[in-house]
């Protein structure tokens, strides 16, 4: 197989699409995978067709069509492309019908139908828009109780300007039980444990989420003493059972759709070199979206911590900076506030935008704890597209991150 010299796109024309407006047409030309003087390939051609059709349908032309004409000149290794759009009638949404699929079709609704209606961005009489259908699908999936969500326009009459919408939903398994275990063997540490996790994503059919994670095991730690001419002076072993159990309850859309209330209960029992410990924690919180890009979370944490079977010599740490406030049993209470900004164009593979997370926590004896302090930390990430620097045939992103704490 001889690939030969690549074919370059020398002309790209969009015809019959002035109806979407000059700004959108300019954005189509800039965003199109096919670019003049860049290598021509079929995948980019189909992606450009889909993008052009998307622009027309987003502007209410539900029955729009794209006719593609390609002229290739092998002798010159050049190609010319014409995309001719036929918009059809400007449409609006018709009746919205919700249908349950599978075994759930005969059962009672998974959740209150009013909650489903709250997630719909499609209203009868509104201008037809594929982004409204896409966002509706995302919001219904976000409820966490459906395994299948289809939002389908019923394009059966090209002469009509009303498009009925069919929403298909299939119930997901709202309960999950996971069981596992493991063995860890390494120098100075051996651990065996079993784990069991339970999750319910639709408690009381009110979208309340319940999670319970548990890990129970037994750990042995070995500390080797000084090594001299007579061999190892001593080997000290610390061993005991370990438990880590966390229960979380989350109530979404409370007190309004953009807010979520939750709480976390935790119990931990562990083994470290020179001591064992137990810890109990409580952490209620509330999170909410102030705008599509800005979110706020507030919380309170209470932790009871106790050292047990302490074998360390107090003289080794009582006069150090870390040991000045050492007590075998203490209570830690603190408030925390966090703010998040996210305007990335893609959550998983961003090419532009920012993600910033800043958090402040204040511990105080006035909250019932034994310590006073203020803690601050931040994480700021920037993403820049390198499209202009790399040219039309290459893609790249520059990512940078700033972070720290006090």
């Amino acid at each position: 197989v001889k690939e030969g010299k690549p074919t370059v796109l020398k002309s790209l024309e969009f015809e019959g699409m002035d109806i979407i407006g000059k700004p959108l047409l300019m954005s189509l030309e800039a965003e199109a995978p096919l670019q003049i003087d860049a290598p021509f390939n079929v995948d980019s051609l189909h992606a450009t067709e889909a993008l052009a059709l998307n622009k027309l349908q987003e502007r209410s032309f539900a029955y729009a069509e794209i006719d593609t004409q390609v002229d290739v000149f092998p002798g010159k290794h050049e190609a010319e492309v014409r995309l001719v759009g036929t918009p059809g009638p400007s449409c609006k949404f018709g009746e919205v019908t919700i249908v349950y699929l599978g075994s759930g079709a005969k059962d009672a609704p998974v959740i209150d139908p009013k909650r489903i209606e709250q997630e719909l961005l499609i209203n009868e009489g509104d201008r037809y828009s594929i982004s409204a259908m896409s966002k509706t699908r995302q919001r219904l999936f976000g409820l966490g109780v459906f395994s299948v969500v289809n939002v389908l326009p019923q394009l059966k009459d090209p002469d009509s300007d009303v498009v009925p919408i069919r929403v298909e939903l299939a119930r997901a398994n709202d309960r999950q039980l996971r069981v596992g275990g493991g063995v860890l063997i390494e120098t100075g540490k051996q651990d065996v444990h079993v784990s069991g996790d339970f999750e319910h994503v639709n408690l009381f059919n009110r979208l309340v989420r319940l999670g319970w994670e548990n890990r129970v095991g037994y750990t042995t730690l070995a500390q080797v003493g000084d090594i001299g001419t007579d061999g190892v002076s001593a080997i000290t072993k610390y061993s005991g059972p370990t438990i880590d159990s966390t229960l979380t309850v989350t109530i979404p859309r409370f007190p309004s759709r953009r807010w979520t209330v939750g709480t976390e209960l935790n119990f931990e029992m562990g083994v470290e070199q020179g001591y064992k410990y137990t810890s109990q924690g409580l952490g209620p919180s509330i999170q909410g979206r102030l705008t599509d890009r800005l979110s706020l979370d507030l919380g309170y944490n209470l932790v009871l911590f106790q050292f047990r079977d302490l074998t360390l010599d107090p003289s080794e740490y009582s006069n150090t900076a870390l040991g000045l406030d050492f007590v075998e049993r203490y209570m830690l209470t603190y408030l925390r506030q966090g703010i998040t900004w996210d305007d990335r164009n893609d959550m998983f593979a961003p090419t532009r935008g920012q993600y910033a997370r800043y958090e402040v926590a204040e511990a105080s004896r006035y909250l019932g704890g034994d310590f006073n302090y203020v803690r601050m930390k931040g994480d700021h990430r920037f993403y820049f597209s390198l499209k202009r620097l790399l040219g039309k045939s290459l893609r790249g992103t520059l990512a940078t991150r700033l972070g720290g704490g006090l």
Side-chain angles (χ1 to χ4, degrees):
V1 177
K2 295 183 179 179
E3 293 184 354
K5 186 177 179 181
T7 298
V8 176
L9 183 66
K10 283 300 180 181
S11 173
L12 176 61
E13 298 180 3
F14 295 94
E15 297 183 5
M17 299 189 61
D18 293 339
I19 196 168
I20 67 175
K22 188 173 181 179
L24 278 180
L25 186 57
M26 293 176 62
S27 70
L28 171 60
E29 294 172 346
E31 297 171 12
L34 278 180
Q35 293 290 324
I36 296 176
D37 295 331
F40 171 83
N41 62 74
V42 176
D43 289 340
S44 296
L45 175 63
H46 292 329
T48 301
E49 291 173 341
L51 181 62
L53 184 61
N54 180 287
K55 294 290 185 181
L56 285 171
Q57 292 179 336
E58 180 62 21
R59 298 294 290 181
S60 79
F61 301 103
Y63 293 94
E65 296 179 353
I66 298 293
D67 179 37
T68 303
Q69 303 172 10
V70 181
D71 295 321
V72 179
F73 306 95
K76 297 182 178 180
H77 299 283
E78 295 177 354
E80 296 179 353
V81 175
R82 293 175 64 238
L83 299 178
V84 182
T86 304
S90 178
C91 299
K92 56 188 176 182
F93 288 121
E95 182 182 5
V96 180
T97 304
I98 298 176
V99 178
Y100 287 92
L101 305 177
S103 60
K106 298 180 181 179
D107 299 335
V110 180
I111 58 175
D112 186 344
K114 292 183 178 180
R115 288 185 175 268
I116 296 179
E117 294 174 1
Q118 291 173 356
E119 303 304 312
L120 299 180
L121 298 177
I122 303 169
N123 298 303
E124 187 173 355
D126 287 352
R127 189 184 71 175
Y128 182 89
S129 166
I130 58 173
S131 65
M133 292 187 291
S134 177
K135 291 178 180 178
T136 293
R137 184 173 183 269
Q138 292 176 5
R139 289 172 64 152
L140 290 173
F141 255 129
L143 294 176
V145 295
F146 300 115
S147 61
V148 175
V149 176
N150 295 321
V151 181
L152 306 173
Q154 306 300 293
L155 301 173
K156 299 179 180 179
D157 185 1
D159 296 326
S160 173
D161 64 350
V162 177
V163 180
I165 302 297
R166 176 185 171 94
V167 179
E168 299 178 344
L169 304 173
R171 181 171 187 169
N173 185 4
D174 50 17
R175 303 175 186 86
Q176 290 188 7
L177 177 64
R178 298 180 293 272
V179 179
V183 177
L184 172 67
I185 300 177
E186 62 181 26
T187 302
K189 182 177 182 179
Q190 296 81 45
D191 174 85
V192 58
H193 65 270
V194 295
S195 62
D197 302 337
F198 175 77
E199 182 181 28
H200 198 309
V201 299
N202 190 24
L203 202 61
F204 312 122
N205 284 345
R206 302 291 294 178
L207 298 179
V208 176
R209 291 176 176 263
L210 172 70
W212 191 18
E213 300 180 356
N214 299 276
R215 173 172 166 153
V216 180
Y218 194 88
T219 299
T220 298
L221 303 175
Q223 182 176 6
V224 179
D226 297 332
I227 301 177
T229 56
D230 297 331
V232 180
S233 61
I235 299 179
T236 305
K237 291 186 177 181
Y238 304 91
S239 60
T242 59
I243 300 174
D244 190 354
S245 180
T246 302
L247 177 69
T248 58
V249 178
T250 304
I251 305 175
R253 294 161 174 77
F254 182 85
S256 64
R257 185 190 177 279
R258 286 179 172 262
W259 291 87
T260 299
V261 174
T263 189
E264 178 179 293
L265 296 171
N266 174 263
F267 174 81
E268 185 177 3
M269 182 168 64
V271 178
E272 295 292 346
Q273 293 284 4
Y275 65 91
K276 301 176 183 178
Y277 67 89
T278 58
S279 172
Q280 304 95 43
L282 168 67
S285 63
I286 181 171
Q287 302 92 32
R289 300 187 67 86
L290 304 180
T291 68
D292 291 339
R293 299 176 179 178
L294 184 65
S295 59
L296 173 71
D297 56 274
L298 307 171
Y300 170 80
N301 288 77
L302 183 150
V303 179
L304 294 172
F305 192 95
Q306 181 174 6
F307 291 96
R308 299 187 301 109
D309 300 336
L310 189 65
T311 61
L312 297 175
D313 185 354
S315 63
E316 296 181 359
Y317 53 80
S318 59
N319 294 324
T320 65
L322 292 177
L324 291 178
D325 294 324
F326 179 81
V327 291
E328 293 191 19
R329 176 185 175 89
Y330 65 83
M331 177 186 294
L332 177 64
T333 58
Y334 60 92
L335 300 173
R336 58 179 176 82
Q337 307 85 41
I339 190 168
T340 303
W341 172 268
D342 189 355
D343 66 354
R344 295 172 294 178
N345 63 328
D346 189 294
M347 182 181 297
F348 301 104
T351 58
R352 63 178 183 274
Q354 301 179 48
Y355 172 84
R357 167 71 181 174
Y358 294 94
E359 185 176 309
V360 179
E362 308 91 8
S364 172
R365 290 185 171 88
Y366 293 104
L367 298 173
D370 296 321
F371 298 97
N372 296 319
Y373 69 80
V374 176
R375 182 188 67 208
M376 295 177 287
K377 59 181 179 180
D379 180 13
H380 205 134
R381 308 172 193 181
F382 303 86
Y383 302 90
F384 305 94
S385 174
L386 300 180
K387 181 179 179 180
R388 294 184 178 180
L389 294 177
L390 297 178
K392 298 179 180 179
S393 60
L394 297 176
R395 297 289 186 270
T397 302
L398 173 64
T400 183
R401 180 179 182 182
L402 300 174
L406 177 64

